[in-house]
Amino acid sequence: MSAVPQERRVVTAIPGPKSQELQARRTATVAGGVGSVLPVFTTRAGGGIVEDVDGNRLIDFGSGIAVTSVGSSAEAVVRRATAQLQDFTHTCFMVTPYEGYVEVCEQLAELTPGDHAKKSALFNSGAEAVENAVKIARAYTKRQAVVVFDHGYHGRTNLTMGMTAKNMPYKHGFGPFAPEIYRVPVAYGYRWPTGEDNAGAEASAQAIDMINKQVGAENVAAIIIEPILGEGGFIEPAKGFLPAISQFAKDNGIVFVADEIQSGFCRTGQWFACEDENVVPDLITTAKGIAGGLPLAAVTGRAEIMDAPHSGGLGGTYGGNPVACAAALGAIETMKELDLNGKAKRIEEVMKGRLAEIAAKYEIVGDIRGRGAMIAVELVKPGTKDPDPETTSALAKACHQEGLLVLTCGTYGNVLRFLPPLVIGEDLLNEGLDIIETAFAGV
């Protein structure tokens, strides 16, 4: 656990004077297109707390967007990464390899779903992992088309922007995008016209029909989906949807890819979210929570698919950097030792219980959803399902002012999302929920 005191403290306005000074320096030299949820400048962080330059300590319900699941300064991550830094920082695995990369691939083979032979390739970011999954699937199938889903998010590179559903802020003004990307419906239970109970069967039938009619199953290299859709609003596809799409892929020689970049590594109370319905993907992409805050990503999958690209066809200068690999081994060690799947399930129990009480009082709560420590509240105008992004933004700001870091998401900008570190203390978790409850009372 971090040396940062695990207690909330608000001693200035948020952001405080020192953060405001740094913000002025930032405005002068950092590109305006790089945004921040809350311009408080961090000096240290760990456990469930982020401390800023003004001495404020904020409760962390964001985890750097699901990255610091083991905390921002986990002992095993710091210890292993420090030892690696002292040995060497880089050789490029494509020039002279090193054991850490191999060890991470061994762990991925052990932890990911399915008992088939698996191999991995390591990269730097989630978008890079998704892009390489597409390359691998195309090499294996000798096909070109890629199928993605409404409300999906896959990254900010040219290919992954094209795969991402939401225009603003991810795609607006940045086209043209890569060709051969096709988008089909997802089983968004809360908004499915005939109700959540029908969404799994109806949405999968619609998606499969569209693929067959508009693309041709024989032309599809890969179907890629987040088992819980992250930026789209923490949408859990209605039961039956993922197994139906996975089976369709299998029946038609299509590579089924689970994008577990936000939902992987204990975040949902299982190592990977696709395990919930026993879906075994052909390829799985990971990043975010994999390395305790250092940049690392992976594509892991069936050995015969992973081996399809020619030698030299996969790689990158920094992919599987030795320090990041050491951090990943430390993060995985922490996840196992502290049973962070169990911790995530307990976080869900506490959060959903408290949020249900809030929902009973306030009509603006349309839906509470998610699993583990990946929980969201969708906000609507009372008596309707019309999205209410304005209230969502106001609630987030109210939480920020009281020293609770929360994030928003959703295709309509109307979802409050909660991603606390899995190591957060239950007292801080409940204090954060108290702040959320007070914020609801004030809007």
Side-chain angles (χ1 to χ4, degrees):
M1 186 55 77
S2 163
V4 182
Q6 294 299 294
E7 55 188 31
R8 179 178 68 103
R9 181 172 76 168
V10 180
V11 292
T12 71
I14 293 179
K18 290 181 181 173
S19 278
Q20 289 177 38
E21 285 173 25
L22 283 163
Q23 181 65 13
R25 287 169 55 191
R26 167 200 170 138
T27 302
T29 56
V30 177
V34 181
S36 292
V37 170
L38 181 57
V40 297
F41 282 74
T42 306
T43 52
R44 56 183 187 154
I49 292 288
V50 172
E51 185 171 288
D52 74 8
V53 288
D54 291 287
N56 298 301
R57 290 201 284 263
L58 284 68
I59 299 173
D60 183 10
F61 275 17
S63 298
I65 318 183
V67 169
T68 54
S69 300
V70 296
S72 302
S73 46
E75 185 277 330
V77 172
V78 174
R79 168 171 43 83
R80 286 180 180 248
T82 301
Q84 180 57 54
L85 273 168
Q86 289 168 339
D87 289 340
F88 61 94
T89 59
H90 178 74
T91 65
C92 185
F93 191 77
M94 298 183 302
V95 178
T96 58
Y98 36 87
E99 188 179 5
Y101 188 116
V102 178
E103 282 187 276
V104 170
C105 294
E106 287 169 342
Q107 289 288 329
L108 287 164
E110 177 197 313
L111 295 170
T112 51
D115 54 10
H116 49 275
K118 296 176 206 157
K119 293 190 178 184
S120 296
L122 304 184
F123 305 99
N124 304 296
S125 69
E128 232 184 306
V130 171
E131 194 133 334
N132 277 278
V134 171
K135 285 168 60 175
I136 292 162
R138 284 174 168 166
Y140 178 71
T141 61
K142 307 293 191 285
R143 304 170 181 178
Q144 293 186 340
V146 175
V147 172
V148 291
F149 293 82
D150 200 13
H151 307 287
Y153 175 86
H154 298 287
R156 294 175 181 263
T157 58
N158 184 264
L159 175 61
T160 57
M161 275 193 296
M163 294 167 67
T164 291
K166 190 175 179 182
N167 173 52
M168 194 68 183
Y170 306 116
K171 302 165 74 167
H172 187 72
F174 298 141
F177 303 112
E180 288 300 311
I181 298 166
Y182 301 89
R183 193 173 321 285
V184 296
V186 75
Y188 187 166
Y190 177 66
R191 295 195 172 275
W192 195 253
T194 59
E196 186 156 4
D197 290 347
N198 301 317
E202 290 180 2
S204 56
Q206 271 190 31
I208 288 165
D209 185 52
M210 284 174 70
I211 295 166
N212 282 325
K213 281 192 313 197
Q214 298 182 23
V215 191
E218 67 280 8
N219 296 315
V220 179
I223 296 175
I224 303 182
I225 189 167
E226 302 159 275
I228 296 180
L229 286 75
E231 299 296 311
F234 284 20
I235 299 162
E236 288 185 85
K239 295 296 181 212
F241 182 82
L242 289 174
I245 298 295
S246 171
Q247 188 61 49
F248 171 75
K250 185 180 287 185
D251 292 344
N252 289 278
I254 299 166
V255 176
F256 182 78
V257 184
D259 178 345
E260 292 259 13
I261 286 155
Q262 191 160 168
S263 57
F265 286 100
C266 307
R267 177 52 61 181
T268 63
Q270 293 166 293
W271 280 99
F272 298 97
C274 59
E275 295 175 69
D276 183 64
E277 291 186 90
N278 300 311
V279 171
V280 177
D282 297 310
L283 300 180
I284 187 164
T285 59
T286 51
K288 288 192 183 289
I290 193 174
L294 275 76
L296 187 69
V299 183
T300 303
R302 296 183 184 279
E304 68 276 16
I305 299 176
M306 291 298 298
D307 279 343
H310 52 275
S311 179
L314 303 177
T317 303
Y318 293 110
N321 170 271
V323 182
C325 286
L329 295 168
I332 292 166
E333 175 189 327
T334 305
M335 289 169 195
K336 289 177 176 176
E337 280 187 6
L338 299 182
D339 181 23
L340 292 192
N341 281 318
K343 289 273 199 336
K345 286 174 182 159
R346 176 60 186 156
I347 289 168
E348 175 182 353
E349 190 182 342
V350 172
M351 292 199 94
K352 281 194 169 171
R354 292 288 303 276
L355 293 169
E357 291 170 15
I358 293 170
K361 288 187 205 167
Y362 302 102
E363 274 192 278
I364 56 170
V365 177
D367 195 26
I368 298 165
R369 56 178 178 256
R371 294 200 301 274
M374 188 174 181
I375 304 293
V377 177
E378 178 160 1
L379 299 166
V380 293
K381 292 175 179 162
T384 74
K385 288 192 178 182
D386 296 344
D388 191 347
E390 295 78 20
T391 300
T392 308
S393 178
L395 282 165
K397 286 194 174 76
C399 290
H400 296 161
Q401 291 309 308
E402 292 301 316
L404 173 66
L405 181 56
V406 298
L407 307 174
T408 60
C409 66
T411 301
Y412 311 108
N414 68 321
V415 178
L416 277 176
R417 60 171 159 173
F418 308 120
L419 292 160
L422 306 182
V423 295
I424 193 170
E426 208 159 303
D427 54 340
L428 283 180
L429 186 64
N430 275 302
E431 189 177 354
L433 288 158
D434 291 341
I435 292 169
I436 291 165
E437 192 162 357
T438 303
F440 269 92
V443 294

